[in-house]
Amino acid sequence: LIVVLDACRADKLSCYGFNRATTPYIDQLADDANSVVFGRHYAQSTWTKPSTASLFTGLLPYQHGINRKYRQVQGGRFETQILAAEIKTLAEELQELGYSTFAVARNLHLSAVNGFAQGFSAYHDPETIRGDRGALRIFTETLRQARGKVFGYLHVMACHNPFPPRRRSSEYLTAYGFDYDEAARKKVGIDFTGSGLRQAIRGRRITFDEADVRFLHLVYEAMLHQVDARIVRVLLEGIRSSGRYDNALIILTADHGEELYDHGGYAHMHALWEEVIRVPLIVKFPANRKPRVLPRDVTEITSSVDLYPSILALLDSAVSRNLPGRDIFHSHHAPAVLSEGASEMRNHEWALIRANEKLIETSQGPLLFGLLHDPTESTNLASKDPAGVRRMRALAEKLRKRHPPWRKRAPVVEIDLPSSAIERMKKLGY
Ligand SMILES: [Zn+2]
């Protein structure tokens, strides 16, 4: 079972060292005797569509070619990039191994028209699902009725912005809230409940003061706390009551994180900072199947493309293709991780992380950070260490040569989006 919490950044989870009790139920999963926490896990991109495509195919974004938003042709007609049919997905592999496969995907980028349903015998499209709790109901009910070997994929909107009051945990706000006049700030354009905030920040129409930043972090944490209590708790109960918990491989992760003004930005897509690409990865193995070589906490870097080969290796099924990921359930060798920004936002283009070194290539030049001493990426070492930049660039080049694109670009089709979908996209800031 793969569970993706949209826009969930790793550093806010209590089991990832956050100093407040944001995620007691995720922590329970992490504390299971058969669980492993991958402490430095990265998403392959800064937004849902390319990142999930990488998770599904085991390919890097430039390999599967998906990295563009819906493009309006005219009226309700849009051009969309789709996951190429000839690329084999994890669901297709598992189907061939005799698994019945189903997915419940709430994010509009993951519509079946975009090719994400490949390999799923049942695919519950974003348009047909009512809220995260609706998604959860379908998921647990399908699981309860399933017979034999099952692969289930659940993608909930979880921590995705905006942050309306009904999605914030009141329990969390009571415990950690502080005096802040949200209504007054809304009047000057600082509105955490709407979708215009990112554009307003990028257009320099507003700037945050210290209290705004503190409050933004608070509401994000309150959302996460609510997701933990209302989604993760119920999900784990549902898996238990289906009788499958003990024997299940449960993978909990995210497609990307979220910028909360840590570097002066908001939301996700346009930057490759740690808060955007470092996501949780908690793996609960079936009883007695946890590989002995794995410590409880893995400190080496891993990334989403590693899941495809790792899951197949656990099932003793070899991957015939040359994939960029590796079996992280059995190997300790930690190479470099590549993550890509959105192609329409020519700002942060790609990032390479190796051990504690991180290079972000931007349209204004390289950013080089030493994550061990500078985990918040505050000091750019690029001009001080040009050799380091050259070394990281050469390594990225080598990786790209070793793993060429599957095709030049992802196939594109024209579709009609219902007005409800267009409205929802706008609300989500797309
Ligand atoms: Zn997402």
Side-chain angles (χ1 to χ4, degrees):
L1 305 174
I2 299 183
V3 178
V4 173
L5 305 178
D6 208 296
C8 180
R9 53 190 262 185
D11 66 340
K12 290 292 185 186
L13 275 66
S14 18
C15 54
Y16 274 76
F18 191 58
N19 59 7
R20 290 173 174 181
T22 41
T23 52
Y25 294 99
I26 297 177
D27 298 355
Q28 259 178 34
L29 179 70
D31 283 342
D32 189 294
N34 292 302
S35 287
V36 172
V37 175
F38 292 81
R40 294 188 64 206
H41 187 66
Y42 287 93
Q44 241 69 50
S45 181
T46 56
W47 64 295
T48 309
K49 203 172 174 184
S51 182
T52 309
S54 287
L55 179 70
F56 278 20
T57 61
L59 299 174
L60 294 163
Y62 71 83
Q63 291 187 284
H64 57 63
I66 288 189
N67 208 348
R68 248 173 38 199
K69 293 190 282 187
Y70 285 105
R71 226 173 238 182
Q72 192 167 28
V73 179
Q74 171 179 52
R77 199 145 182 84
F78 285 79
E79 208 179 77
T80 183
Q81 286 183 315
I82 60 169
L83 194 56
E86 70 266 23
I87 301 180
K88 201 168 187 182
T89 63
L90 179 61
E92 286 174 304
E93 296 267 12
L94 293 171
Q95 214 167 30
E96 280 174 19
L97 291 172
Y99 282 74
S100 67
T101 54
F102 73 98
V104 186
R106 259 263 286 149
N107 191 302
L108 283 164
H109 294 297
L110 306 180
S111 291
V113 287
N114 290 332
F116 286 89
Q118 287 173 50
F120 289 106
S121 35
Y123 195 85
H124 297 272
D125 213 73
E127 275 300 283
T128 64
I129 305 164
R130 285 182 68 84
D132 277 357
R133 287 206 269 185
L136 189 58
R137 265 195 299 276
I138 301 171
F139 187 83
T140 48
E141 187 53 29
T142 311
L143 191 62
R144 209 176 55 78
Q145 289 176 7
R147 296 284 165 267
K149 298 191 287 185
V150 185
F151 167 51
Y153 177 83
L154 174 67
H155 190 122
V156 285
M157 290 309 276
C159 305
H160 200 293
N161 63 76
F163 310 121
R166 68 184 157 79
R167 293 177 63 196
R168 307 172 188 167
S169 153
S170 52
E171 190 194 321
Y172 191 86
L173 293 173
T174 306
Y176 301 109
F178 63 98
D179 210 12
Y180 177 84
D181 192 345
E182 199 174 357
R185 296 306 280 161
K186 207 168 168 174
K187 282 194 192 124
V188 298
I190 298 177
D191 178 8
F192 301 116
T193 65
S195 57
L197 203 51
R198 175 162 69 185
Q199 282 74 14
I201 293 170
R202 284 173 77 81
R204 295 175 204 276
R205 293 193 294 281
I206 50 169
T207 46
F208 285 15
D209 64 25
E210 225 170 276
D212 298 325
V213 178
R214 223 180 116 201
F215 188 72
L216 174 59
H217 278 257
L218 179 80
V219 294
Y220 179 84
E221 290 152 24
M223 290 247 307
L224 178 58
H225 189 265
Q226 182 150 312
V227 168
D228 184 74
R230 293 200 186 165
I231 304 296
V232 178
R233 176 180 61 81
V234 182
L235 171 71
L236 293 176
E237 279 168 9
I239 300 173
R240 281 207 176 84
S241 71
S242 76
R244 288 181 180 271
Y245 181 86
D246 286 344
N247 286 327
L249 172 73
I250 302 175
I251 295 175
L252 187 118
T253 188
D255 54 349
H256 53 81
E258 184 81 347
E259 266 190 280
L260 303 171
Y261 218 72
D262 316 69
H263 289 88
Y266 170 74
H268 49 271
M269 264 190 124
H270 44 269
L272 286 153
W273 306 119
E274 293 287 277
E275 54 268 26
V276 185
I277 56 172
R278 247 199 76 202
V279 293
L281 174 65
I282 298 164
V283 178
K284 189 210 72 79
F285 289 90
N288 308 318
R289 292 290 304 280
K290 190 176 125 190
R292 264 197 226 116
V293 291
L294 272 183
R296 269 202 60 77
D297 295 286
V298 174
T299 52
E300 279 106 2
I301 52 173
T302 56
S303 69
S304 355
V305 290
D306 294 330
L307 286 171
Y308 191 121
S310 304
I311 292 167
L312 290 182
L314 197 67
L315 300 172
D316 296 321
S317 175
V319 182
S320 50
R321 292 179 289 138
N322 162 29
L323 289 176
R326 71 211 158 90
D327 172 10
I328 53 171
F329 297 164
H330 297 93
S331 98
H332 271 270
H333 168 67
V337 158
L338 255 181
S339 190
E340 277 182 43
S343 58
E344 283 140 317
M345 315 254 178
R346 304 305 292 177
N347 186 9
H348 283 194
E349 291 168 6
W350 53 268
L352 182 79
I353 306 108
R354 188 184 54 179
N356 285 305
E357 231 179 341
K358 177 171 177 182
L359 176 78
I360 303 177
E361 200 67 77
T362 83
S363 46
Q364 286 96 43
L367 304 170
L368 185 70
F369 301 103
L371 295 176
L372 188 64
H373 301 292
D374 182 21
T376 57
E377 299 160 288
S378 59
T379 311
N380 179 13
L381 304 171
S383 55
K384 235 203 230 158
D385 185 11
V389 172
R390 276 198 301 277
R391 209 170 45 237
M392 293 293 270
R393 278 180 175 158
L395 181 58
E397 200 44 47
K398 206 168 118 190
L399 281 173
R400 289 195 195 96
K401 277 216 179 93
R402 201 183 303 153
H403 304 289
W406 186 266
R407 45 186 298 155
K408 258 218 162 64
R409 54 175 65 89
V412 171
V413 296
E414 277 191 21
I415 55 162
D416 290 308
L417 280 180
S419 54
S420 58
I422 300 170
E423 264 325 293
R424 273 174 71 194
M425 292 295 239
K426 278 189 190 154
K427 267 197 196 134
L428 295 171
Y430 296 109

